[in-house]
Amino acid sequence: MKITMTGVENIPREGGALLAINHLSYVDYVMAGFPGERQGRLTRFMAKKEVFDHPVGGPVMRTFKHISVDRSAGLESMERAESALRAGEVVGIFPESTISQSFLIKDLKTGAVRIAARADVPLIPIVLWGTHRIFTKGRKVDLSRHQRIGIEVGEPMRPTGEDPVAETAELRSRMESMLERLILAEEDRPEGAWWLPQKYGGSAPTIEEAAAAYAEERRLRAQRKAAKRKAK
């Protein structure tokens, strides 16, 4: 792979820092750890509880001391992240919560700015581009050679927590600008490419189309769970 990184110096060499990362693929946990590693830092990622429940992924996540996020008990996960940050660790969070199937920046949860404010650490946006071409939702794994990955580390924010909605909007705006730079830096943008957002000439779903598909997916998942409970 050809991995291009910019802004790595924005990650402090010591002290706590929260990294807010966009979510394109199942390999983002690996790629988003590279900038910190360049600064001599290891990143503890927050990931949904289901990953930790997986027979293969679970032991790996626990061994590397990543942070399980139980969506039914979000406060506990936030407190664990805050504790790690106060102890001087680097923590990674995906504020979109799920993979963006439009490959643009989705609405962000306010948890990132609230955690950073409560732990009194910098919130550093990181945007990835190209990871979805390796392994993303609804697509087969592509491990062919010469994949190009772009990673931009933005300037740190210092959320106060006084207005989490406004501060989250600022975070999203910064991440959108970073993503656009990475996309436009990609010379190969074939018309109609599945991995390219529509606004840049590709055929990926719009944010609205992706949101509707995700809502339907959640509805069907809830329906299946209810049917299983009824069968018992």
Side-chain angles (χ1 to χ4, degrees):
M1 296 179 193
K2 180 182 178 182
I3 301 175
T4 303
M5 290 191 285
T6 59
V8 172
E9 67 280 359
N10 287 319
I11 297 179
R13 289 190 175 273
E14 58 183 24
L18 182 62
L19 312 181
I21 308 143
N22 68 321
H23 205 0
L24 297 174
S25 77
Y26 297 115
V27 299
D28 292 339
Y29 295 98
V30 177
M31 299 299 175
F34 284 171
E37 191 274 337
R38 284 280 182 91
Q39 293 290 84
R41 308 300 302 274
L42 298 179
T43 304
R44 292 180 65 180
F45 289 99
M46 300 179 71
K48 62 183 180 180
K49 178 178 176 293
E50 289 80 357
V51 177
F52 289 80
D53 293 338
H54 191 276
V56 176
V60 173
M61 296 296 281
R62 285 188 289 274
T63 297
F64 287 108
K65 299 181 180 180
H66 294 308
I67 300 170
S68 174
V69 177
D70 185 344
R71 290 172 181 169
S72 65
L75 183 58
E76 180 182 346
S77 304
M78 289 179 66
E79 289 174 346
R80 289 183 61 201
E82 290 166 21
S83 177
L85 290 165
R86 291 192 186 99
E89 297 191 57
V90 175
V91 174
I93 187 172
F94 294 90
E96 292 169 291
S97 183
T98 59
I99 287 176
S100 171
Q101 292 180 274
S102 69
F103 309 129
L104 296 172
I105 307 297
K106 295 171 54 179
D107 286 339
L108 308 184
K109 307 295 185 183
T110 60
V113 298
R114 289 188 288 129
I115 291 171
R118 286 170 54 166
D120 191 24
V121 297
L123 176 63
I124 304 171
I126 292 184
V127 171
L128 310 171
W129 178 249
T131 57
H132 54 309
R133 298 177 68 176
I134 300 172
F135 187 23
T136 194
K137 194 169 187 176
R139 293 278 173 175
K140 293 182 179 179
V141 179
D142 181 0
L143 297 178
S144 57
R145 295 170 64 86
H146 309 301
Q147 297 274 18
R148 293 184 298 277
I149 307 297
I151 304 174
E152 181 174 332
V153 183
E155 293 185 1
M157 295 176 59
R158 272 287 184 176
T160 64
E162 293 177 3
D163 191 342
V165 174
E167 290 178 324
T168 298
E170 171 63 20
L171 173 63
R172 183 182 184 185
S173 177
R174 292 190 186 198
M175 294 177 76
E176 286 174 333
S177 296
M178 293 162 66
L179 179 63
E180 180 164 78
R181 280 194 291 273
L182 289 175
I183 292 174
L184 295 181
E186 175 60 70
E187 295 179 0
D188 180 28
R189 299 199 304 273
E191 188 74 23
W194 69 265
W195 47 266
L196 199 59
Q198 287 189 28
K199 67 179 291 187
Y200 298 103
S203 59
T206 63
I207 284 183
E208 294 75 20
E209 291 168 343
Y214 180 61
E216 177 63 9
E217 178 186 321
R218 291 186 66 183
R219 186 188 71 80
L220 293 174
R221 189 186 307 144
Q223 194 176 68
R224 288 193 296 270
K225 286 182 178 179
K228 285 183 179 179
R229 286 195 298 267
K230 188 176 181 180
K232 290 179 179 179

